[in-house]
């Protein structure tokens, strides 16, 4: 039964199995889970089995068929591993983390893919990620000359697929950082920029924890003499390695930018606030002298000649207007406002 | 006498000893402290002795029975060591730190476990930690095929037990960090968030000092050719290693988040404070002009025609209301408020 | 057809090809794309082909002529690679990033140069950069004794050319940082210094991501025994290496300075703002006492002897002047202003 | 002449010499400086010489007796070296820094100990430190079975002594950091907390520069095959190594805590200050409306019916009280205060 | 012609040459530039040539005489290199940066010294530094037993001389940092402390870029088997190495202190400013109530019994004095002031 692309609303797809034998780069047989062992006994072909969040008993069956190690099976069942490459006697065990932005609420989500690689088999156990590996299988089947390199090449195809999924995630974060910059330095309504910067930083930390261990995994695959990785596929892992290093650099650069952006944002926000405060205070200060003048002409001295002038009142009002305007111009001239 | 789970109120349990000989994965005899040496002379079995904060004379006896090194015994007596792995001629000496949250007051506490590992014995000396190793012993005894690998496997079981204790501690800290984030960015009453962030940072620093040296300890156990660690148990230490690295990464990520959270919190707190200040100042500023108007009509000029108007008084009051409301709307319009 | 220097307005020059064979340091023949293979068969000469943003079919032709690897050709077509050096069986593949300041708007732009190096050929694929390699070719052709060292020397000449382009970019940034310092510490109108500092930091991060990987590339070229790099050209790569390390150091120093400059700028800006605020508040505070005095003599008590004095009014005014001046001198004396 | 413990007031003790020959762990002879060479010629014993800030001519004599290297003697005379281990042909030269808190004024002071170690001699040159090595010598002499291991063991005893002196210093700093935390977060009078934090940071930087190089020194002593360090004393240097690493970790943790504490302190201090400012401003704001009301009833309009009411005056006073209390409750309700 | 000490006012001294042959540690002949080649042919002596900012033709002559590499000569002519050690076939090329504080304006200036070292020659090319190497030559000539070790020892003498020049520079910076600390924490007039801290940080960054590469240079000279460096001079380079490492540590410690000092200074400055602001505001707030009281007795109500009292006026004044003093004591009591 073929692995299908799972659409978001469908909650938990059955642990669909796509199990087939390949010989010389071509699919030669679809296998049931009990047909695996006979197929493995033939030297000229390899078996590729795909699982999605399997029950423990299915995993136990698979373990028996392929002779996998207890600890690796436990990891594959429990998930929540960090990306790693482990060598068990005669097989490789690779854990990858997948990432995607949930479309409904903008939110970063992680899945996991566990891969068992033996001389003539490859088993994938997928957890939580939305995108199935059916695309990888189709692409591999459409290039028999590459698929004929064996399961080591399929491992490359899967890693390439997983690493490529990080690109849009990182790009989306880069765009958000740029949006935030425009917001911050344009001082248009920054709303909850502080909390958004914090959120982005949190996401970058999660991403880095998923991507950084891959550098080491890839490094071992492209440099060291691991079993079941043909000499001529190492150059492909070097290609994946380059992508991972670039992702890593982008993530680190964005983190550093966010740190600076947060500092700048907080300061500019505080600066704008103080500027408003200053203007409000200046308003009150401008009114102080006119009020004093009114007070003066409200004094009850017997001998206050101005009070008897016909033009006393309008002159006083004029004086008050000047007394209000003067500090405004002084403040402006001194660049206090 | 079996090691028992010590409940918090019980202050200092006796240095209870659970000492037994194991052969082929099964417990074959409970031993008194003076029966150890004869048991050690038999090649087909190993002795597992558990101590809790022993007196110096008990330790001296144990040292004589097993032939342990002076410096290691001194360490085991004094405690306050950092986690380490040391090789003394014919035995390994491992120091681990245990951590748990005290339930009464939310407070991080550390204990220590010292382990001596020889060809056919394993001695544990536990300091301060609340949870005894009885669970480890029971689990080991229930899987004889694993216990039959010898004391090297018991060392793994103990390390796995100790490292697993860190998980709830780190998770609790992660939850507190998330609580603090909600508090900080929701601007609900943040109370003493500053001091709580500081406290969490202090705890993360302590945790890191307990966990980081374990990376090196585990690395040596899984990679190098140490005595008494069977070839086929190294894969188990690799499993512990993965857990430690994940703990380490989580701790570092939380520290970085806390640093950013503190910066954001302090700024948002200051921002809210200044906002209130601004509003209080605006209140005073709004009253300034009406007060001035009252002052004007309190002036004693002879010729002030308004004073004789019948509607002079209500008009002046109206003017004052407008003069108070106007700046409010100006401030709002200018987005100063 | 010779490669020409492209002036900024010209949007997309044709993938001009300058393809020639060199023998003993001299240009011996201009080649069409289909004449390459015969030329390659001669042991005493090498072919140097230059491309600018070629179409995929041109690249495919070139791949066939030189027998280049699929992955390298894909990289050269897609561009957006990080600088690297890769070894494919019998050829080297080098990716360099070029940088220049766009003259119209002060803005940092990056291009890419991909170089394939074989025993007797060198192919360059240029993307996006404004300055062609014609200068490199001319300089090489004018020093036949150096060009006769073969394509390894041409690789050096190209790297030297690319690295030299970074110098004016970094110098311009250094000058801007110094301008900003003068602005910040001279407290002349700092305008949008915050945003300019941020922008510079972003540019330095981009530059570093282009320059840092070159350290590793150069290190391998000068130290390890790579094919097609003659023993006596390694000393030249050491020269390029020195330049790169100096660039790197300058970039890091500027970043650190900018971090400090930002902190200082934000604080000085806030300090100046608060200083103005303080002066405005002092203005209002100075008016408070005179206003109170006016209020006092506006009171309606029957028995206020001063009110009947002839000089009462001028004395009151004098008192008010003193009451306004006194706090000013007190504030000055206390260094509050 | 025996080395004596120097009490603080005594300014510069004579370069007292305690020079003795040891054989099989026992002191066999006290030596004058001219008796050293004959003693050195005997294979079964070793010479231990202790100097305190010796004059240049004494050092020259010692150099001649033991055949020490010019550069090492120069270092030992000038002091102000960083901790290091150097190998001169047939001898080891070790420089250690000692630290103690001066009791009078709480102030961190450093001394230096230089140690020359040969096949059958050990020379110590002490600078500035208050505590002599007489305790070390006594402890060594009381354990002949250890002292019989030769001068390599004495080197361990000296390093252990020096490293142990750091413990109380670091603990005192830890306590001060905790005191400061209580002060900062209790907001009791923080006095000059800023300057104290800075001072502690400066001291931690000095300590780190004294302790960190010891990691490398100890590492070489416990790992590499150095002359005159018996195989079975390396395990002792491992013990010292553990202490140094713990000191180092504590110092780094305290530095990080201080950085966070400083940030928190400055913010809390500023927060408290602004809070006070806000309350003072609120005081003035509360008085604004009553003042305006007084102004209103001070207006001279002909037609102001309230003025003729019998209860006009008390009603106005009541109005003013309400006008003063109202904003107070509004500010409280809005949580501005 | 001997190299002379250049005094600051003399702008550009001629490229004075002090060229001499040494045999067995003694100066045996002063050489003209054309006498070098014959002198080099004698195996028992070596030539030491000193140049100061030579013209290109002089350098070309020197290159021909000693057979130096093109790239090294280019470096020596252009200067602006980072410190490095390069090995050209049969000669070493060392670049050092010299530093001194210009005496007129306190300002850090850098020079460069390029050294060519062959089997029997040493050429120095000095750029921009004020202090000539004549002192080094004199000191070398006065210790023939050391000079007889050959040009490798002269290289040590030169490096020691250059590194020793850094000491007063770093000490002066340390003193300035201490002065700044006194200023900052004494809160005496801090003037432009911010800009001075920034300037010091900039200088420390320059210094670090001059000193750090020397660690690697010295490391290679003291550890690896370089030509023309006699086995028994390596111990001297170890001495220089120690000095460089100490310089490096001091520079890093000062940078870290400055970062903390800047943070503390900015906060204390802001704290003082806000304190002043608070006092000014308190002044205005204290006047508010008396002003209100004056307003009350300025009201025109018919029935205000106090107005008719004989002591009404003085009682009102007394009330106002109390109303002004009361908030002052309240603010003091609440510790708002």
């Amino acid at each position: 039964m073929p692995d299908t692309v799972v659409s978001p609303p469908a909650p938990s797809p059955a642990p669909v199995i796509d199990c087939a034998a390949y010989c010389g780069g071509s699919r030669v047989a679809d296998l049931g889970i009990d047909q695996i062992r006979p197929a493995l006994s033939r030297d000229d072909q390899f078996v590729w089995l795909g699982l999605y969040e399997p029950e423990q008993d299915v995993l136990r069956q698979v373990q028996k068929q392929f002779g996998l190690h207890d600890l690796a099976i436990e990891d594959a069942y429990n998930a929540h591993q960090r990306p790693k490459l482990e060598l068990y006697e005669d097989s490789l065990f690779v854990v990858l983390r997948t990432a995607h932005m949930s479309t409904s609420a903008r939110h970063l989500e992680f899945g996991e893919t566990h891969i068992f690689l033996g001389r003539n088999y490859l088993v994938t156990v997928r957890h939580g990620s939305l995108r199935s590996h059916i695309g990888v299988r189709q692409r591999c089947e459409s290039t028999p000359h590459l698929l004929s390199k064996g399961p080591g090449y399929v491992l490359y195809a899967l890693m390439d697929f997983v690493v490529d999924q990080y690109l849009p995630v990182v790009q989306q974060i880069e765009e958000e950082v740029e949006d935030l910059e425009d917001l911050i330095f344009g001082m248009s309504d920054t709303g909850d920029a502080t909390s958004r910067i914090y959120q982005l930083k949190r996401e970058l930390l999660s991403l880095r924890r998923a991507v950084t261990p891959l550098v080491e995994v890839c490094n071992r695959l492209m440099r060291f003499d691991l079993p079941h990785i043909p000499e001529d596929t190492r150059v492909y892992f070097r290609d994946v390695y380059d992508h991972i290093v670039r992702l890593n650099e982008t993530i680190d650069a964005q983190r550093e930018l966010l740190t600076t952006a947060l500092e700048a944002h907080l300061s500019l926000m505080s600066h704008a606030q103080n500027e408003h405060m200053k203007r409000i205070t200046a308003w009150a200060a401008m009114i102080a002298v006119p009020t004093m003048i009114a007070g003066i002409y409200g004094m009850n001295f017997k001998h206050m000649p101005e009070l008897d002038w016909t033009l006393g009142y309008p002159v006083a009002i004029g004086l008050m207007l000047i007394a209000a305007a003067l500090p405004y111009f002084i403040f402006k001239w001194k660049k206090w406002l």
Side-chain angles (χ1 to χ4, degrees), chain A residues 180 183-184 190-199 262 265 269:
Chain A
L180 275 170
L183 227 71
I184 289 169
T190 53
D192 54 349
T194 308
S195 129
R196 279 175 69 192
I197 289 173
Y198 184 87
Q199 203 49 44
L262 178 58
H265 167 58
M269 197 169 67

Side-chain angles (χ1 to χ4, degrees), chain A residues 8-54:
Chain A
S12 58
V16 281
I17 302 176
D18 185 352
C19 187
Y22 294 86
C23 178
S26 313
R27 186 175 193 132
V28 291
D30 280 18
L31 304 173
I33 205 160
D34 48 346
Q35 297 167 304
I36 291 173
R37 195 177 272 274
L40 286 176
S41 64
R42 292 186 47 183
D43 258 18
D44 58 342
Q45 60 182 31
F46 75 91
V47 175
W48 179 357
L49 164 66
L51 300 170
Y52 180 79
E53 294 184 357

